[in-house]
Amino acid sequence: MSSNKTILLVEDNPSDADLTRRALSRGHISNELMVVEDGQEAMDYLCAEGVYAGRNISETPALILLDLKLPRIPGLEVLRLIRADPRIRRIPVVILTSSKEEEDIGAGYDLGVNSYVRKPVDFKEFQIAIENLGLYWLLLNEPHPPVR
Amino acid sequence: MVLLVSALLLIMILQLLPERDFQRARAAEHLVEHSLRVLRASALLFATIEDAETAERGYLLTGDDSHLDQYQAALSNQRQSSQNLRRLTADNSRQQARIAKLDGLVETRLSGLSRLIALYRTEGQKAALAAIATDDGGPAMDEIRDLLSAMELEEYGLLQLGTKAAEAHANHMRWILSAFVIVLLIVGGAVSERDIRNHTRDVEALRTSEERFRTLANAIPQLCWMTNADGWIFWYNQRWYEFTGATPQEMEGSGWTSVHDPKTLPAVLEGWKNSIAAGEPFEMDFPLRAADGAFHPFLTRVMPVRDASGKAVRWFGTNTDITAQRMTEDALRENQERLQLAQQVARIGTFEWNLKTGMNRRTPELEAMYGLPSGGFAASRNIWMDLVCPQDRELAGRHLREAMETGRFEAEWRVIWPDSTTHWLCGRALVSKDDAHQPLRVSGAIADVTERKNAELDVLRVNAELEQRVRQRTIQLEAANRELEAFAYSVSHDLRAPLRGIDGWSLALLEDYGAQLDDCGRQYLNRVRSETQRMGNLIDDMLQLSRVNRGEMKAEPVDLASLANGITAKLRDVQPERSMEFVIEPHLVASGDGRLLEIALTNLLSNAVKFTGTRNKAVIEFGRVEKEGEMAFYVRDNGVGFDMAHTGNLFGAFQRLHKVSEFPGSGIGLATVQRVVRRHGGRVWAEACLDLGATFWFTLGGRS
């Protein structure tokens, strides 16, 4: 059980971030939610750099919820950087976005995304999606072994 | 024998001679004959007187009476002669006067003789002889002799005149006759010895021959005539008289000059005179006047007829009317001038190149196209290829080689003029071949097309510029389009986020504070949420519409039946409570883009499901029929249909035929279908009737 582990949400829209938080809470997913607002900040957090320097890099998030449209470093680039960095490459990444574009979906899978979820407008559907995600990735899924 | 035949011919030809010539000749002969008779008569008269005297002296010396008989006979002859002379000279008063005087003298002389005879008889021989010694008869005899001499002298003079005239006419006739003989000999052929032996046949042959010549000479279209060695024309053919309208009398001697144009006559006379002097053939063009007074151009040839020594003894001349030839020549010249003018005006040059001799005949217009003066090609010793612009030589040479095979040449090439300017020429030619199918001659026409070519090049340049501009504009448009698409994509994403917020927080309000709101308040919040979701769907549809315009179009075999089956399965899942029958024709393979076709079919089938919502049982068919050689697909339903009068903008975005409250929808579905179909090169249309269902047709461009 990874309930003690952090969920990293990369989302520049505070409303969406709060709705996600609400959905997680209503879905009884008690993991800590770490929200970063752009791609650069996400990388800084993951690599314990910049404002996150000194953070223990081995404490990797249990799941990364990644939006695609992000300031500074776009979502797909963040994904590429994660998969290119041996220290963090095994972290499950779920793309959570408004885009249903084939191009984006394809590119996400090509870069090694674990799951691709489109955010529905209907909050109820959104909540179901978030609950399912949490259930699957935090409970059902066997976490990756730590990177040595 | 030849002489005899000639004589016979002469007799025949004599009948052809002009009567006047005969009369003149006869008159001259009479004159001569008359003079000769007079001379003979006067000589006879003198002889009778001498006879009388001789007989008288014989009697006086011998006394023999037989001398007296002779004397008497002489006296009788003398009287006859005297009468004869008087008659012969009846038309000559001078001679008559002489005869009167002569008669007196003769009378005196003869009476003297009678006196001596009487004396002999009466007084004997001695007295008679003595009388002779003193006789004055001598002077009387001398006077007679003188008178007769004067008479003879006169007649000799007359005789000389007569002889000359007769000789002249005889000469004339002789020439004519000789000429005829020669002509007859020419036409009829030489008279062989054997023919001559057969007299009758000979004459007949000659007559036939002569007839044939006359027929021939009169039948030929030419005018012809003959002259003697001096150029004296003694015969014309019938055509001459017909043409000139002249009579033989008018043509006599130098009468022929009267039908000549006075302007050309001096030159004709000069040339003719020179030919006669040199004995060489004469040939000249000059006009002759026809009977109607009009002058016709004639080609005249005169050939000498030579004797064995080569001397020209006759001339045989022909005049050929060359009016028609002149007209043909004029017409030809006119045509050539016209052709030349046409070539000048059209700026076309022609050539004819004989491949065997290498001779190339070019018109001045053609040479001008190479910047050369007339004859400039030959003068410059250039061959064609030397003047062709070096860049075009290979091409021009290839065209020419191909023309030897195909027989046709057509090419455009540049030439460089001596002034270094470049000109465009366009040439077309035909290659004619000999019996062995070897190229023999190339003939054709060349036009200067510099202006057209420059215009063409201008057009090409302008087109290239235009294309470049179009390319640039297309790139700009494509960039703008991409920007727009990116914008639409971005907008639709960015719009969804706030919608999600509105919906999410409305729900949060309901969930967290719903108890504090009354039913109406909660209803409002639900309205907010449903509108939000509708807008979410609208954005999704717009995204789909923009998506069908983007991306590469694939052309792959797509089974539309299997696509439809997948779609209808989903539609059933969404509304499991509905009674729906889908009739899908199996195996509808078409070439297209599967992803786009699925979008289109989804829209059409969703519509069919939606508009059959009020039916107890929906029957939706999907199939294919051939329409006007084209495969057309259809989606037919038994739904509410629509009024065809309002279908003008059926396929435009946001067009709706039904109230949202009845049939919800964005109004973008059919616009999306139309875009998909159009991207495939096909078309889409609808057939419907209010309350009787609708059929949507579409084609996919390709022939089935």
Side-chain angles (χ1 to χ4, degrees):
Chain A
M1 188 75 190
S2 318
S3 59
N4 57 336
K5 286 194 93 178
T6 310
I7 297 173
L8 178 65
L9 173 66
V10 192
E11 170 64 70
D12 66 326
N13 185 341
S15 174
D16 264 15
D18 286 347
L19 282 174
T20 307
R21 192 188 304 278
R22 183 181 165 87
L24 285 170
S25 129
R26 288 184 68 84
H28 311 288
I29 296 165
S30 54
N31 297 52
E32 189 197 340
L33 183 71
M34 178 69 206
V35 180
V36 289
E37 293 183 22
D38 65 55
Q40 182 61 59
E41 199 183 341
M43 290 315 295
D44 284 350
Y45 175 84
L46 287 171
C47 302
E49 285 168 3
V51 291
Y52 301 99
R55 193 186 74 84
N56 185 1
I57 196 169
S58 63
E59 287 179 7
T60 54
L63 179 67
I64 300 172
L65 298 173
L66 180 64
D67 193 7
L68 288 182
K69 281 191 62 167
L70 291 171
R72 302 216 275 182
I73 300 174
L76 286 173
E77 176 63 10
V78 171
L79 175 62
R80 195 186 66 76
L81 290 170
I82 291 168
R83 293 297 184 236
D85 190 331
R87 298 170 296 175
I88 52 175
R89 65 192 300 176
R90 289 178 178 171
I91 305 169
V93 178
V94 173
I95 291 175
L96 195 63
T97 177
S98 303
S99 171
K100 214 171 82 177
E101 295 295 315
E102 260 183 35
E103 265 182 61
D104 289 342
I105 300 167
Y109 279 106
D110 287 347
L111 288 171
V113 78
N114 298 83
S115 194
Y116 192 107
V117 177
R118 193 179 181 231
K119 290 188 265 189
V121 170
D122 188 329
F123 184 77
K124 281 185 175 166
E125 289 175 26
F126 182 63
Q127 175 139 13
I128 293 164
I130 292 293
E131 281 175 22
N132 286 342
L133 278 176
L135 188 67
Y136 180 79
W137 288 108
L138 300 173
L139 294 175
L140 283 177
N141 188 46
E142 195 64 41
H144 62 84
V147 179
R148 293 208 181 92
Chain B
M1 282 307 273
V2 174
L3 283 173
L4 181 63
V5 170
S6 301
L8 282 167
L9 288 172
L10 280 170
I11 290 160
M12 281 164 55
I13 292 156
L14 274 173
Q15 294 172 20
L16 301 170
L17 286 172
E19 185 55 27
R20 200 173 50 161
D21 277 350
F22 268 114
Q23 285 171 352
R24 287 188 177 180
R26 223 172 281 138
E29 272 172 19
H30 280 159
L31 203 60
V32 171
E33 195 184 336
H34 181 260
S35 297
L36 288 170
R37 278 190 193 162
V38 173
L39 285 170
R40 207 179 301 129
S42 78
L44 207 62
L45 182 62
F46 193 70
T48 57
I49 297 167
E50 278 185 330
D51 281 350
E53 212 162 336
T54 307
E56 179 255 337
R57 289 197 180 159
Y59 178 69
L60 291 183
L61 290 173
T62 63
D64 190 344
D65 282 346
S66 67
H67 289 293
L68 286 176
D69 291 339
Q70 285 172 10
Y71 180 67
Q72 284 307 322
L75 285 183
S76 164
N77 284 340
Q78 182 272 324
R79 275 190 296 274
Q80 208 179 326
S81 291
S82 181
Q83 276 169 15
N84 198 18
L85 197 57
R86 194 183 302 272
R87 201 181 65 246
L88 284 171
T89 60
D91 58 347
N92 193 328
S93 54
R94 287 192 305 279
Q95 298 289 59
Q96 289 284 306
R98 285 193 188 102
I99 287 166
K101 197 177 173 185
L102 183 68
D103 280 350
L105 287 172
V106 170
E107 197 57 46
T108 313
R109 186 68 191 173
L110 291 178
S111 61
L113 292 181
S114 300
R115 234 184 9 260
L116 285 172
I117 288 168
L119 191 65
Y120 181 88
R121 279 186 183 149
T122 56
E123 297 189 37
Q125 191 180 31
K126 206 172 176 181
L129 289 174
I132 289 171
T134 59
D135 190 16
D136 56 358
M141 199 59 192
D142 282 342
E143 273 183 57
I144 290 167
R145 199 176 283 120
D146 286 345
L147 250 172
L148 282 170
S149 290
M151 283 180 73
E152 281 176 11
L153 211 61
E154 168 112 1
E155 287 305 325
Y156 272 123
L158 289 171
L159 178 61
Q160 216 163 359
L161 282 171
T163 307
K164 272 182 185 162
E167 265 174 9
H169 287 287
N171 254 341
H172 189 193
M173 284 161 64
R174 201 159 59 234
W175 290 138
I176 292 171
L177 295 173
S178 306
F180 268 97
V181 169
I182 286 161
V183 170
L184 286 171
L185 287 174
I186 291 166
V187 176
V191 179
S192 73
E193 273 301 319
R194 195 173 54 77
D195 288 341
I196 293 162
R197 262 181 232 120
N198 191 332
H199 205 145
T200 318
R201 219 185 69 191
D202 192 38
V203 170
E204 190 54 39
L206 283 167
R207 190 173 287 133
T208 311
S209 178
E210 194 267 344
E211 199 62 43
R212 204 182 300 151
F213 169 72
R214 283 179 60 176
T215 308
L216 180 70
N218 287 324
I220 59 171
Q222 279 92 346
L223 316 183
C224 56
W225 36 269
M226 287 183 92
T227 84
N228 65 14
D230 303 333
W232 178 277
I233 301 180
F234 58 79
W235 170 82
Y236 293 98
N237 73 343
Q238 197 55 40
R239 277 290 297 139
W240 174 276
Y241 294 114
E242 285 166 10
F243 175 75
T244 60
T247 62
Q249 283 72 32
E250 287 168 337
M251 285 299 107
E252 198 178 339
S254 57
W256 56 270
T257 56
S258 65
V259 298
H260 275 248
D261 186 339
K263 288 197 283 288
T264 52
L265 184 58
V268 174
L269 288 169
E270 176 70 15
W272 180 214
K273 198 176 83 185
N274 292 340
S275 277
I276 292 170
E280 291 301 323
F282 172 80
E283 185 172 324
M284 195 173 173
D285 283 4
F286 50 76
L288 291 176
R289 195 178 56 228
D292 63 2
F295 280 100
H296 290 212
F298 274 90
L299 169 65
T300 296
R301 284 206 179 95
V302 191
M303 298 299 292
V305 179
R306 302 177 196 280
D307 64 12
S309 70
K311 187 169 166 281
V313 290
R314 299 286 177 270
W315 294 87
F316 186 76
T318 58
N319 309 97
T320 307
D321 191 333
I322 52 172
T323 308
Q325 189 189 330
R326 277 284 158 82
M327 278 167 69
T328 309
E329 283 171 4
D330 287 350
L332 184 65
R333 193 171 51 245
E334 216 170 278
N335 271 344
Q336 278 174 338
E337 283 168 2
R338 215 176 289 154
L339 180 65
Q340 199 175 1
L341 183 69
Q343 291 194 358
Q344 281 170 351
V345 170
R347 280 187 286 177
I348 287 174
T350 54
F351 68 91
E352 192 177 295
W353 178 22
N354 187 319
L355 297 168
K356 295 269 188 281
T357 64
M359 266 285 277
N360 199 335
R361 292 202 308 208
R362 306 174 176 89
T363 60
E365 287 77 19
L366 186 138
E367 299 197 292
M369 285 170 200
Y370 286 84
L372 297 171
S374 184
F377 253 103
S380 67
R381 300 185 149 278
N382 271 314
I383 61 162
W384 170 59
M385 202 54 101
D386 293 340
L387 302 175
V388 174
C389 177
Q391 294 101 299
D392 292 346
R393 280 178 196 166
E394 197 267 325
L395 184 80
R398 182 151 46 81
H399 277 298
L400 192 61
R401 282 193 299 278
E402 285 170 6
M404 297 303 161
E405 296 295 320
T406 63
R408 278 178 180 279
F409 173 86
E410 184 167 348
E412 289 183 345
W413 63 91
R414 283 165 291 183
V415 296
I416 298 174
W417 283 19
D419 66 4
S420 301
T421 55
T422 302
H423 297 255
W424 274 98
L425 301 186
C426 170
R428 288 192 180 86
L430 291 175
V431 181
S432 34
K433 300 190 175 178
D434 61 15
D435 294 340
H437 297 288
Q438 289 302 304
L440 184 66
R441 196 167 47 241
V442 185
S443 42
I446 290 176
D448 189 322
V449 292
T450 308
E451 280 174 31
R452 169 168 73 72
K453 207 69 192 177
N454 285 341
E456 274 177 17
L457 291 174
D458 280 349
V459 168
L460 282 178
R461 204 188 58 243
V462 168
N463 277 349
E465 284 173 9
L466 209 60
E467 269 171 36
Q468 177 62 25
R469 243 183 286 167
V470 167
R471 257 197 305 279
Q472 282 175 348
R473 185 59 56 85
T474 307
I475 290 167
Q476 288 169 356
L477 281 174
E478 280 170 355
N481 216 20
R482 269 197 304 278
E483 235 168 79
L484 265 178
E485 281 165 6
F487 177 75
Y489 169 76
S490 163
V491 161
S492 61
H493 281 233
D494 289 353
L495 284 177
R496 281 172 68 91
L499 282 180
R500 210 161 40 242
I502 294 165
D503 187 74
W505 297 122
S506 300
L507 187 63
L509 196 60
L510 276 172
E511 285 170 347
D512 295 358
Y513 302 94
Q516 290 170 333
L517 293 172
D518 60 8
D519 283 349
C520 187
R522 281 191 293 273
Q523 183 64 31
Y524 289 167
L525 277 175
N526 282 327
R527 284 272 177 88
V528 169
R529 288 197 62 219
S530 71
E531 287 302 295
T532 308
Q533 280 156 29
R534 206 162 68 82
M535 188 161 176
N537 288 333
L538 193 59
I539 290 168
D540 282 351
D541 287 350
M542 279 178 67
L543 265 177
Q544 192 184 54
L545 179 61
S546 91
R547 211 178 290 135
V548 299
N549 273 338
R550 281 183 281 139
E552 288 293 303
M553 267 280 295
K554 286 180 230 162
E556 56 196 2
V558 180
D559 184 359
L560 272 72
S562 100
L563 279 182
N565 281 322
I567 294 162
T568 52
K570 280 184 208 158
L571 290 170
R572 266 190 216 280
D573 287 349
V574 174
Q575 293 176 285
E577 73 285 0
R578 281 191 56 189
S579 165
M580 295 190 285
E581 186 192 351
F582 291 99
V583 184
I584 295 165
E585 194 179 317
H587 203 65
L588 297 173
V589 179
S591 173
D593 186 303
R595 184 181 63 92
L596 293 181
L597 289 172
E598 184 172 11
I599 291 170
L601 268 182
T602 303
N603 274 292
L604 288 172
L605 290 166
S606 301
N607 273 353
V609 166
K610 184 161 67 182
F611 291 106
T612 50
T614 55
R615 298 294 191 248
N616 291 329
K617 186 187 180 190
V619 180
I620 296 163
E621 298 164 66
F622 176 52
R624 179 167 65 177
V625 234
E626 193 181 317
K627 276 204 160 192
E628 291 159 16
E630 209 173 7
M631 292 314 289
F633 298 90
Y634 62 90
V635 175
R636 183 174 294 135
D637 65 56
N638 62 339
V640 294
F642 51 85
D643 186 349
M644 285 294 282
H646 302 128
T647 59
N649 266 324
L650 191 60
F651 297 94
F654 305 113
Q655 296 295 316
R656 296 178 50 84
L657 294 174
H658 301 276
K659 287 179 211 149
V660 177
S661 56
E662 291 173 335
F663 299 100
S666 62
I668 291 174
L670 287 179
T672 305
V673 171
Q674 188 177 51
R675 286 209 185 173
V676 169
V677 167
R678 284 196 178 162
R679 282 202 78 182
H680 281 84
R683 59 202 176 89
V684 58
W685 69 100
E687 286 167 1
C689 214
L690 199 58
D691 217 34
L692 289 173
T695 306
F696 283 84
W697 296 90
F698 68 91
T699 64
L700 293 175
R703 316 301 283 185
S704 57

